[in-house]
């Protein structure tokens, strides 16, 4: 007995989560065509749900819709990724500063524990876990900042360069470079020092920009 595909808001949510995961891991590559019928069958949702999810991703700049030809994964060049990261640098610095002003003891403990997990990931040579914890750290800083406007802008910017971020995190030696940068952010927020937190966040993004500009095998 076949199971009816999920529809409506629930189906769209399932499709969005599946598409984001596939974009992150490279199962859907830049420039790849996105065929609604195939995606609907793969994710167990209706074509309408896939279409709605693709429209959301198009609004975020992750997918581009081509007249009479459907949709495809938008290609984001290194130059554009650098420009996006320059914008992130300002917004991430703001969020780090605001987080340092607002955090409570429980939130500090959460960030400190996450910093320890990042250390463990580097020690274990596990770049995939490091990448996941890296994203979680940035997400928590945004959440703890209470700066909803900056958070919304960052979500849109990050969605466009998620594949660049993932590939960068897996580059040999990169976690060892970014670990002390992340720990500096955590420590400044834990000290409730907004200026230091903003400097640390900006310094980290400067490092990301430099890494993006390096040859992939460099």
């Amino acid at each position: 007995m076949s199971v009816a595909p999920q529809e409506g808001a629930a189906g769209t949510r399932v499709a969005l989560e599946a598409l984001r995961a596939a974009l992150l891991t490279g199962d859907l590559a830049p420039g790849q065509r996105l065929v609604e019928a195939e995606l609907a069958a793969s994710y167990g949702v209706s074509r309408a749900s896939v279409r709605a999810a693709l429209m959301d991703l198009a609004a975020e700049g992750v997918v581009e819709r081509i007249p009479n030809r459907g949709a495809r994964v938008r290609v984001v060049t290194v130059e554009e990724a650098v420009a996006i990261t320059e914008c992130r640098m300002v917004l991430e610095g703001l969020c780090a500063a605001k987080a340092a002003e607002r955090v409570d003891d429980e939130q500090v403990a959460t960030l400190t524990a996450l910093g320890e997990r990042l250390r463990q990931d580097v020690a274990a040579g596990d770049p995939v876990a490091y990448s996941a914890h890296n994203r979680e750290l940035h997400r928590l800083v945004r959440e703890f900042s209470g700066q909803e406007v900056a958070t919304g802008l960052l979500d849109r910017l990050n969605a466009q360069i998620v594949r660049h971020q993932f590939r960068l995190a897996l580059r040999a030696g990169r976690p060892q470079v970014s670990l002390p940068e992340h720990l500096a952010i955590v420590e400044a927020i834990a000290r409730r020092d907004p200026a230091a937190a903003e400097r640390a966040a900006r310094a980290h993004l400067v490092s990301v920009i430099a890494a993006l500009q390096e040859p992939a095998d460099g």
Side-chain angles (χ1 to χ4, degrees), residues 155-170:
D155 286 344
R156 289 176 61 88
L157 291 171
N158 285 324
Q160 296 178 55
I161 58 171
V162 64
R163 183 60 183 154
H164 283 281
Q165 292 170 328
F166 186 66
R167 291 179 63 187
L168 186 58
L170 298 184

Side-chain angles (χ1 to χ4, degrees), residues 30-42:
Q32 182 172 336
R33 284 193 65 215
L34 301 169
V35 181
E36 290 178 5
E38 294 176 359
L39 294 171
S42 295

Side-chain angles (χ1 to χ4, degrees), residues 57-117:
L57 292 173
E60 294 175 7
V62 179
V63 165
E64 57 184 349
R65 301 186 69 84
I66 306 165
N68 304 317
R69 295 188 62 186
R72 69 181 179 189
V73 181
R74 192 168 77 84
V75 176
V76 177
T77 66
V78 170
E79 290 76 16
E80 188 174 359
V82 167
I84 289 170
T85 306
E86 288 172 342
C87 295
R88 282 183 60 212
M89 182 169 60
V90 178
L91 295 167
E92 296 263 13
L94 171 63
C95 287
K98 290 293 184 181
E101 293 175 359
R102 295 169 53 97
V103 284
D104 57 31
D105 291 344
E106 183 178 348
Q107 291 169 332
V108 167
T110 298
L111 291 176
T112 301
L114 190 52
E116 183 55 35
R117 284 198 290 274

Side-chain angles (χ1 to χ4, degrees), residues 122-134:
V122 170
D126 189 345
V128 175
Y130 183 87
S131 177
H133 289 138
N134 174 1

